[in-house]
Amino acid sequence: MSTHSASGPTHQHGHGDAHAPDQGPGRTDGHAHAQAHSQNHAQGHAHGHDHGTDIDWAAMAGQLEANGEIQLPLLRSTAARLGELLAGAGTRVRRVLDVGSGPGVMTCVLAEAFPEAEVVAVDGTPALLEHTLARAERLGLNDRVTTVHAELPEGLDAMGAADLIWSSKAVHHLGDQQAALDGLAALLRPGGVLAVAEAGLPMRFLPRDIGLGTPGLQARLDAALEYWFSVMRAELPGSTPVAEDWPAMLGRAGLGPVGAFTALLDLPAPLAAQARAFLQDHLSRLRELGDSLDPEDARTLAVLTDPEAEAGILRRPDAFLLSASTVFTGVRPAR
């Protein structure tokens, strides 16, 4: 399965901007993939969960990259925190893996944050890896950004060892999440860090009462998405139930100490055009929930996504974007 992430934190399940039916991977960079994803999921890697088999990722790459760029403040803050963690552990960062890299927004952020490291984008979609290399060249990072075409869990052996492994909204696409973490942890060099962004708070972007339909729309959408996510997880090949206690899961993968931090994306109203387009894409994917939606809420979403409607997300003066992404970390003990 192709797990793309926009790398970015915006699809969170229980977790954040909820996974909307993937169009197909955060994938933010956030498989921005993940926005497609929640936004892929709904992404971002939303694939409704066809796991990307019918998605034209080459055609979507630009949109996914734009979605990921909206999250650049959050992604850069996240990379800086990871740098502090590795410095505190006395680890020299020579090689970084971005697993489920999507169009490479976070890949390039990591290359900027760790100027002595080779940063490897790992994804199951060749078109997105090509997009990553093009982005790296535009940013003057092509001498240190490379790619590996691989999918989890089969492609672990192709990834090689690393001092930092970053994965955003990719592990939840795998039936056995603990096995995925075990495999990624095994790639770490002593003192290396595994960082997974798999939680947060539901994204918020409108007031409780928007003057359309019944107040509390986003809370009802959250509930529909949580149901969708549970069904998606149950239908994955090899689906293995596990309490999503990520620190405990990282500990079982042999890492310690484990920890967590949360990064915030806070774009107040009135939003710029790019952020509005991001939200329109997100709301359009939410409409794919179909029968899971209350009929009145479906009508409200139709108005919100209408580019000509005065009450649509592209024109509303009250639209904002607030998202919290939690990153869980584990350190491989030095030998």
Side-chain angles (χ1 to χ4, degrees), residues 181 185-186 188 192-194 247 250-258 329-333:
L181 294 179
L188 288 173
V193 169
L194 172 59
L250 290 170
R252 289 196 293 270
L255 304 180
V258 298
T329 61
V331 181
R332 179 169 180 176

Side-chain angles (χ1 to χ4, degrees), residues 22-295:
D22 296 338
Q23 245 184 57
R27 309 175 69 23
T28 204
D29 137 13
H31 38 14
H33 232 113
Q35 277 332 90
H37 180 59
S38 117
Q39 282 130 250
N40 268 340
H41 255 348
Q43 280 343 55
H45 279 289
H47 333 287
H49 251 76
D50 55 3
H51 297 293
T53 54
D54 298 321
I55 308 245
D56 186 348
W57 289 113
M60 287 190 63
Q63 175 188 339
L64 296 177
E65 183 177 18
N67 287 346
E69 287 180 343
I70 291 168
Q71 300 179 55
L72 277 173
L74 180 152
L75 298 177
R76 287 173 175 151
S77 172
T78 297
R81 291 288 297 272
L82 294 174
E84 294 170 2
L85 178 61
L86 285 153
T91 302
R92 180 186 171 199
V93 182
R94 297 155 293 170
R95 191 166 189 267
V96 178
L97 297 177
D98 179 1
V99 180
S101 55
V105 177
M106 186 58 164
T107 305
C108 291
V109 168
L110 291 168
E112 292 169 342
F114 299 98
E116 297 182 357
E118 173 195 16
V119 181
V120 185
V122 181
D123 204 281
T125 304
L128 291 172
L129 294 174
E130 293 171 8
H131 202 87
T132 296
L133 292 175
R135 180 178 179 85
E137 185 171 8
R138 290 197 306 274
L139 296 176
L141 302 168
N142 50 306
D143 60 329
R144 292 188 297 108
V145 171
T146 60
T147 63
V148 170
H149 178 223
E151 297 185 356
L152 292 174
E154 298 84 358
L156 283 167
D157 291 342
M159 298 180 195
D163 304 294
L164 169 63
I165 299 175
W166 165 260
S167 180
S168 174
K169 309 300 179 289
V171 173
H172 68 237
H173 282 281
L174 302 171
D176 191 337
Q177 297 179 98
Q178 183 65 61
L181 294 179
D182 293 347
L184 291 172
L187 299 177
L188 288 173
R189 293 169 176 155
V193 169
L194 172 59
V196 292
E198 286 288 354
L201 295 174
M203 185 171 72
R204 286 292 177 264
F205 45 87
L206 286 170
R208 185 190 67 87
D209 189 340
I210 61 173
L212 289 173
T214 303
L217 172 67
Q218 287 198 252
R220 294 189 298 278
L221 294 177
D222 290 345
L225 284 167
E226 288 293 344
Y227 174 76
W228 173 88
F229 186 82
S230 296
V231 173
M232 180 278 290
R233 284 282 317 152
E235 293 177 348
L236 288 173
S239 179
T240 303
V242 62
E244 291 175 353
D245 180 345
W246 294 98
M249 293 166 72
L250 290 170
R252 289 196 293 270
L255 304 180
V258 298
F261 63 88
T262 297
L264 187 69
L265 179 66
D266 183 6
L267 304 179
L271 286 177
Q274 187 179 24
R276 290 177 180 276
F278 169 89
L279 289 177
Q280 185 188 43
D281 178 55
H282 174 61
L283 290 167
S284 295
R285 301 206 191 293
L286 292 175
R287 295 183 68 185
E288 297 174 16
L289 290 169
D291 293 342
S292 297
L293 296 173
D294 177 88

